[in-house]
Amino acid sequence: MTDVQARIDPEFTGLPLRELADAALTQATALGAQHADFRAERIRSQYIGLSDANPQTLFDADDTGLAVRVIVDGTWGFASTVDLNPDAAAQAARQAVEVAKVAAAMNTEPIELAPEPGYGEVTWVSDYEVDPFTVTVADKVALLAAWSSSLLAHPAVSHVDASLNQVRECKFYSDGTTTATQQRVRLNPSVTAVAVTDDGRFDDMQTLAPPAGRGYEYLGGTGWDFAAELAELPELLAAKLAAPTVRPGRYDLVIDPSNLWLVIHESVGHATELDRALGYEAAYAGTSFATPDKLGTLRYGSEVMHVTGDRTTEHGLATIGYDDEGVAGQAWDLISGGTLVGYQLDRRMAQRCGFGRSNGCAFSDGPNHIPLQRMANVSLRPAPAGGPSLDDLIAGVDDGIYVAGDKSWSIDMQRYNFQFTGQRFFAIKNGRLAGQLRDVAYQATTTDFWGSMEAVGGPQTYLLGGAFNCGKGQPGQVAPVSHGCPAVLMRGVRILNTAQEGAS
Amino acid sequence: MTPQQTVELALAAARGDGCVVIAEETSGANLRWADNTLTTNGVSRSRQLTVIAIDRRADGAAVGVVSRAGVRPEQVEELVREAEHEAGQGTPAEDAAELTGAGNHRSFCKNEDNGEERSGRPATTGASWDDNPSLTGIGVLRDFAVALGDTLRAARGAGRRLYGFAEHDMTSTFLGTSAGLRLRHDQPTGRVELNAKSDDLARSAWTAVATRDFTDVDIAGLADGLRERLGWARRSVELPPGRYETLLPPSAVSDMLVALYWAAGARDAAEGRTVFSKAGGGTRVGERLCELPVTLSSDPLAAGLGSAPFVIAHASGADSSVFDNGIALRPTSWIQDGSLAALVSSRHSAALAGLPVTPAIGNLTFATSAAGAPTLTEMIASTGRGLLLTSLWYIREVDPQTLLLTGLTRDGVYLVEGGEVVGAVNNFRFNESPVGMLGRMLEVGATVPTLPREWGDYFNRAAMPPVRVEGFNMSSVSQAN
């Protein structure tokens, strides 16, 4: 056994995975399936929530199951079960074939998959040091309680919510030519301080620490300085409550990567999903203005806009060795010099639209769901070494706003019109920060916004942000995804005052 | 092994100072289509066992919760031990309380406004504790699939494109406590969503229904309704952002009011953190929110909207408590005759807030007590000039102080003039609070079953009226169509 194999959850690798796959694939083939693939998963997750340093929520989940996906006479069929024995695997294969036959009445588009080399027996494990499921709940609660207590000690802080979400995801995939066993680990720590004033106002401020494809070492300071961030949070919150309300209008913005990652996610990540652009999500998640007829010509943004998709970034939440269709992880361009040049693909979309090969974006959030095209890590490239620092970007603004941290977000079903708020907004006067502002939201149309990007910061401003909970598809699925980006300078973005917007 | 046996096995294995076991059997089937053809489908079957162990000591009671799918009989005791281990090393829970037993499950949370003792009959399927779990499968969708195939072919022939989703799920929940309680609930959940677009994709319309068994779904009828809407959109009108008199149909009303319901937690309100907090302390319970005689309520036995008649809590939260598992749920008015009447609470958060115990219930009804409430058609006919919406989308909280929400209009905004729809308007981004909206409601129509479009994945059971709102805040134009 190699070192990599030895790191994978032995309870998962101890399951009769190959026997299950063989039972399912043999049955599917015998019933006439032109394609069949098998997936078994074990997903351990744990959520710990504290309210004012007291434990409030503890939930420890362990999801296992298997899935069989077939193509019968050009129609998909999918079935899953929790029972991990060969009879149940064969039964799932029979059900998947039955589903395909029921569904055939409605199918007019024969399903074909883009070719992918077979990789044989492969193993992949994400990059982490300490499996969070080897750390006791008591230790985790103690750490979150200590963080909470340190904030509650400040007079400005009325309440503290602290939470830690952890996942260890094991996947086994086989289609007869590739058999992949994989494991990845991710964490999402979050602390929010709340201030309530005597006159009935309240506000809060959340840590900017992103969720990460890392182990428990993350909470100890590897990849993020929690101690430093927690130390400054109460004063920032107190200043936010005391800050003046924003005057609506157009402003130059310097946007921190802790806020910008979510704009990339919504206005570029989802807009460059080919299934959306083709209309497969039209009734639910929506479509995209960036349709395939505009590939290579659509002016998405300014010339400093270079966006990549990848499933390979170290500690990325969408990083994987092989996707849920056996396609190896890759990196590719989505936007180059401000022009749309690529899409996120799965094998069906890649074949249908003549891309030749999938770039590996098939993902299912568990054994009970069919894989969909889901988001890769979609990231904005920083300026080369020596590029602008955050201070340099701020120095380029006379009267503007610096935005940090994500909060509220919403975008329309074709990814044109969006509105975001943030954790912290600072006025910029004559190239310098000049205190916080309250009640700020910014609104724009995607191509106008990215077209107004005058400069991207250098590598020293770069941060890998992301989320655990990107939703898509029916039945609904959630996917974890990361977005790296530098700080940026945008000119003339519309700012709203949310207090005025909410006035009756 | 049956889920009932699993519950008994786990409770028998429990050594601690109290134990709650929740065994769930879940099955589902779904079909999805786009551009007049099938896209994905599937059937699923799952089995989940949740063990909540309690460790009582001098300084309180600590809890361990472990939930696992696909547990085999020989693994049940191991799961109980894991939960007990977590409880043993845990710190005392704030919401610690006595567990519910067979004798006292109805004695908690008496609703003083409704002294009548409600029958404890199992909702929905009428199955008793010992009956097999209820299941669904692709067979439930067989007749629907044939009708859908016909409808898709007809649309193709007529130059329209149909998109949508049909889903049927069943969850049988078996709840047992070491205090002797045994309760069962079967929950069917189903829906059909249908979106029609013109061949050039410039016009779009949407409709949906919630269903418990698919016997009442008329897919051809739904498609016919959308054909009329696409017809309305042949004339398009561009309107700027601004505040408009707006008719919200039942689905849009449900999305706004489900968001209000989710923000109506007792604990956060008592802590001064929500729109329902009173300045200087306490909550706004008793305060008038709407001048019209409207009631927002939940009732586990509401006709066609049946939901669990007792608390099922897999984990504690701000306003839920694992200790409350099994407490009987009674009809609850959150807003009564226009005034805030209750906030969602556990026994613990109710005590913190100084309010009666009113746990969350899985359905929501908004209605007026005024006689002769009009239909949407009648409300259109009595409109001088206003907007008629179809649905709302991508709704997110912007400011909890006012419960300001943002989101988009979707799949049909229509201009009504002189009592008639005169054309389709561009989409808007709105910034609007459901609480502010209650204060500006001009008219409330007749309540009908509906499906929240934004929240339907999580909240499926609602009955809502169309409403007329003064000055609905359309903040900017969205180019999406």
Side-chain angles (χ1 to χ4, degrees):
Chain A
M1 189 182 281
T2 67
D3 287 351
V4 170
Q5 284 166 328
R7 298 196 73 187
I8 298 181
D9 173 14
E11 285 188 44
F12 183 67
T13 52
L15 294 167
L17 298 167
R18 284 156 190 80
E19 201 185 333
L20 297 174
D22 190 49
L25 298 180
T26 302
Q27 178 72 85
T29 307
L31 292 173
Q34 290 93 55
H35 168 91
D37 56 56
F38 170 88
R39 204 157 33 87
E41 300 199 6
R42 181 184 190 205
I43 303 171
R44 291 275 284 117
S45 61
Q46 184 181 69
Y47 179 87
I48 299 173
L50 278 71
S51 173
D52 292 344
N54 294 308
Q56 183 174 76
T57 306
L58 168 64
F59 192 71
D60 207 310
D62 188 343
D63 283 317
T64 52
L66 64 83
V68 183
R69 185 178 69 156
V70 298
I71 300 174
V72 180
D73 298 330
T75 297
W76 283 130
F78 177 83
S80 69
T81 180
V82 281
D83 293 315
L84 300 175
N85 62 68
D87 286 346
Q91 167 69 10
R94 286 191 291 275
Q95 281 184 325
V97 170
E98 187 198 353
V99 169
K101 288 180 174 168
V102 170
M106 299 171 301
N107 189 25
T108 57
E109 185 190 305
I111 307 295
E112 292 180 50
L113 302 183
E116 178 72 10
Y119 298 98
E121 288 264 351
V122 287
T123 305
W124 182 89
V125 175
S126 69
D127 193 1
Y128 65 91
E129 290 168 31
V130 181
D131 179 347
F133 293 92
T134 64
V135 179
T136 66
V137 172
D139 284 354
K140 295 168 189 169
V141 168
L143 179 65
L144 295 176
W147 286 359
S148 301
S149 297
S150 72
L151 298 178
L152 285 166
H154 192 283
V157 177
S158 309
H159 299 285
V160 175
D161 300 327
S163 65
L164 176 61
N165 202 355
Q166 311 136 76
V167 178
R168 185 181 69 209
E169 176 191 284
C170 296
K171 281 182 186 260
F172 174 89
Y173 169 88
S174 183
D175 58 17
T177 61
T178 295
T179 298
T181 309
Q182 306 186 81
Q183 171 170 300
R184 54 185 191 167
V185 164
R186 54 184 178 267
L187 294 179
N188 188 11
S190 175
V191 183
T192 303
V194 183
V196 181
T197 66
D198 292 338
D199 62 354
R201 291 192 307 138
F202 60 92
D203 213 329
D204 58 31
M205 193 170 282
Q206 191 176 1
T207 46
L208 307 187
R214 293 180 184 268
Y216 199 71
E217 70 279 3
Y218 186 47
L219 302 189
T222 301
W224 192 261
D225 190 344
F226 284 92
E229 176 163 34
L230 291 165
E232 67 176 14
L233 209 58
E235 288 298 334
L236 285 167
L237 175 60
K240 185 182 188 181
L241 265 174
T245 195
V246 72
R247 177 178 45 82
R250 290 201 175 265
Y251 289 84
D252 295 343
L253 301 186
V254 174
I255 305 181
D256 194 79
S258 58
N259 180 270
L260 190 69
W261 73 266
L262 186 52
V263 187
I264 294 169
H265 177 88
E266 301 296 355
S267 71
V268 184
H270 281 304
T272 57
E273 295 179 308
L274 187 57
D275 63 340
R276 287 186 63 121
L278 292 174
Y280 286 82
E281 288 284 335
Y284 183 66
T287 60
S288 173
F289 72 93
T291 45
D293 55 305
K294 297 174 185 145
L295 189 65
T297 57
L298 175 68
R299 288 303 296 172
Y300 216 107
S302 69
E303 288 184 356
V304 296
M305 185 185 193
H306 305 282
V307 179
T308 55
D310 79 77
R311 300 208 67 188
T312 55
T313 296
E314 193 175 33
H315 307 304
L317 295 169
T319 299
I320 192 79
Y322 303 85
D323 79 352
D324 286 348
E325 296 183 314
V327 178
Q330 299 160 45
W332 66 98
D333 288 342
L334 291 169
I335 295 167
S336 182
T339 300
L340 175 72
V341 296
Y343 282 104
Q344 302 163 69
L345 310 169
D346 63 14
R347 289 177 68 177
R348 179 200 191 176
M349 306 292 155
Q351 179 69 15
R352 186 183 147 180
C353 293
F355 284 90
R357 185 190 173 201
S358 166
N359 47 33
C361 292
F363 174 77
S364 163
D365 67 356
N368 57 334
H369 286 147
I370 194 166
L372 301 174
Q373 184 272 300
R374 297 309 313 268
M375 205 181 293
N377 304 306
V378 170
S379 298
L380 176 68
R381 197 194 303 162
S389 66
L390 183 60
D391 286 345
D392 293 339
L393 295 172
I394 290 170
V397 174
D398 292 334
D399 180 17
I401 299 173
Y402 167 58
V403 185
D406 65 87
K407 198 169 186 185
S408 176
W409 75 102
S410 175
I411 186 164
D412 73 32
M413 39 287 171
Q414 279 178 281
R415 305 279 143 170
Y416 286 113
N417 174 304
F418 59 67
Q419 177 176 307
F420 291 89
T421 67
Q423 293 294 329
R424 310 162 194 174
F425 297 90
F426 294 85
I428 304 173
K429 299 285 182 200
N430 303 317
R432 290 168 179 271
L433 296 187
Q436 289 189 61
L437 294 168
R438 280 176 57 85
D439 309 322
V440 184
Y442 63 97
Q443 233 181 44
T445 293
T446 294
T447 46
D448 295 344
F449 178 81
W450 291 109
S452 76
M453 184 163 69
E454 184 176 293
V456 293
Q460 71 276 36
T461 71
Y462 194 83
L463 176 71
L464 193 64
F468 265 36
N469 61 340
C470 171
K472 185 177 174 184
Q474 288 182 308
Q477 296 195 38
V478 291
V481 59
S482 288
H483 301 283
C485 53
V488 299
L489 169 58
M490 323 293 288
R491 296 293 186 188
V493 178
R494 183 185 177 203
I495 294 287
L496 305 182
N497 181 301
T498 57
Q500 290 177 13
E501 288 289 307
S504 280
Chain B
M1 190 170 56
T2 68
Q4 296 92 327
Q5 290 168 332
T6 306
V7 170
E8 300 304 339
L9 194 59
L11 287 171
R15 291 179 190 145
D17 307 316
C19 188
V20 179
V21 180
I22 305 170
E24 286 158 307
E25 293 272 335
T26 305
S27 50
N30 64 77
L31 297 169
R32 194 178 195 204
W33 58 97
D35 201 4
N36 297 331
T37 186
L38 178 83
T39 53
T40 60
N41 58 45
V43 293
S44 64
R45 180 85 193 265
S46 188
R47 197 167 68 236
Q48 192 85 20
L49 179 63
T50 302
V51 177
I52 299 156
I54 296 160
D55 184 81
R56 294 189 192 274
R57 8 182 151 128
D59 62 343
V63 179
V65 182
V66 176
S67 188
R68 187 182 287 181
V71 174
R72 298 188 299 276
E74 68 273 17
Q75 296 174 315
V76 171
E77 182 173 353
E78 173 194 323
L79 200 67
V80 173
R81 294 290 161 263
E82 274 181 43
E84 288 175 346
H85 177 76
E86 294 295 351
Q89 63 166 250
T91 41
E94 283 188 306
D95 57 334
E98 290 304 310
L99 289 179
T100 310
N104 60 359
H105 113 94
R106 286 197 198 95
S107 66
F108 291 116
C109 70
K110 278 237 187 296
N111 187 327
E112 301 305 332
D113 299 332
N114 185 341
E116 162 202 358
E117 177 66 18
R118 314 249 312 177
S119 78
R121 70 191 141 94
T124 61
T125 61
S128 71
W129 172 266
D130 290 322
D131 291 337
N132 287 334
S134 298
L135 292 173
T136 189
I138 196 72
V140 172
L141 300 178
R142 205 177 296 273
D143 292 345
F144 171 82
V146 172
L148 177 62
D150 293 343
T151 302
L152 297 182
R153 268 186 294 280
R156 202 174 303 123
R160 285 188 305 277
R161 302 170 188 247
L162 295 180
Y163 304 78
F165 180 59
E167 168 178 57
H168 193 247
D169 289 323
M170 178 71 80
T171 300
S172 286
T173 301
F174 298 85
L175 171 73
T177 71
S178 55
L181 193 68
R182 301 290 183 275
L183 291 172
R184 177 217 180 115
H185 175 66
D186 289 346
Q187 185 70 63
T189 301
R191 62 174 156 161
V192 176
E193 292 193 57
L194 188 66
N195 172 213
K197 294 183 192 297
S198 58
D199 203 38
D200 62 359
L201 301 177
R203 292 173 285 142
S204 190
W206 177 88
T207 189
V209 290
T211 178
R212 298 172 83 79
D213 57 14
F214 272 81
T215 58
D216 52 353
V217 175
D218 172 14
I219 187 72
L222 294 175
D224 281 347
L226 295 185
R227 197 172 55 191
E228 181 192 17
R229 294 268 169 147
L230 289 180
W232 286 354
R234 285 216 174 82
R235 178 175 171 233
S236 64
V237 183
E238 287 194 11
L239 287 179
R243 287 185 175 265
Y244 289 91
E245 179 180 315
T246 299
L247 293 174
L248 283 81
S251 172
V253 173
S254 70
D255 275 320
M256 294 299 278
L257 293 181
V258 168
L260 179 149
Y261 181 44
W262 284 342
R267 180 169 182 156
D268 281 354
E271 288 182 350
R273 302 166 63 172
T274 77
V275 68
F276 299 117
S277 304
K278 187 185 278 181
T283 72
R284 292 174 67 187
V285 169
E287 207 174 293
R288 187 113 196 168
L289 301 178
C290 182
E291 292 305 316
L292 302 175
V294 292
T295 296
L296 181 70
S297 61
S298 302
D299 176 356
L301 303 182
L305 303 176
S307 62
F310 53 89
V311 171
I312 303 170
H314 298 83
S316 292
D319 296 294
S320 66
S321 169
V322 292
F323 292 91
D324 291 354
N325 268 302
I327 287 184
L329 296 171
R330 295 171 188 278
T332 305
S333 290
W334 313 105
I335 295 170
Q336 178 76 47
D337 293 326
S339 295
L340 185 65
L343 295 169
V344 175
S345 62
S346 61
R347 281 182 288 174
H348 177 61
S349 71
L352 290 178
L355 293 170
V357 181
T358 48
I361 295 170
N363 61 39
L364 199 62
T365 297
F366 186 61
T368 174
S369 61
T375 64
L376 181 57
T377 306
E378 290 165 347
M379 289 169 72
I380 293 169
S382 65
T383 300
R385 186 172 193 267
L387 300 178
L388 167 66
L389 309 185
T390 297
S391 66
L392 302 179
W393 185 246
Y394 223 124
I395 301 170
R396 293 294 182 275
E397 182 181 282
V398 176
D399 183 1
Q401 189 104 25
T402 55
L403 196 59
L404 180 68
L405 307 176
T406 193
L408 283 306
T409 62
R410 185 168 184 184
D411 292 327
V413 178
Y414 306 99
L415 178 63
V416 181
E417 283 180 336
E420 287 182 5
V421 173
V422 297
V425 180
N426 44 272
N427 278 306
F428 294 101
R429 166 170 301 288
F430 67 87
N431 278 320
E432 185 62 78
S433 160
V435 179
M437 195 177 97
L438 282 168
R440 280 179 281 114
M441 251 176 218
L442 299 172
E443 187 178 22
V444 176
T447 294
V448 295
T450 191
L451 183 80
R453 185 175 195 183
E454 169 75 31
W455 310 123
D457 288 348
Y458 315 98
F459 203 95
N460 177 274
R461 285 168 279 280
M464 296 280 151
V467 304
R468 186 190 307 279
V469 177
E470 182 182 18
F472 197 87
N473 180 16
M474 301 299 186
S475 177
S476 58
V477 168
S478 155
Q479 297 172 50
N481 54 29

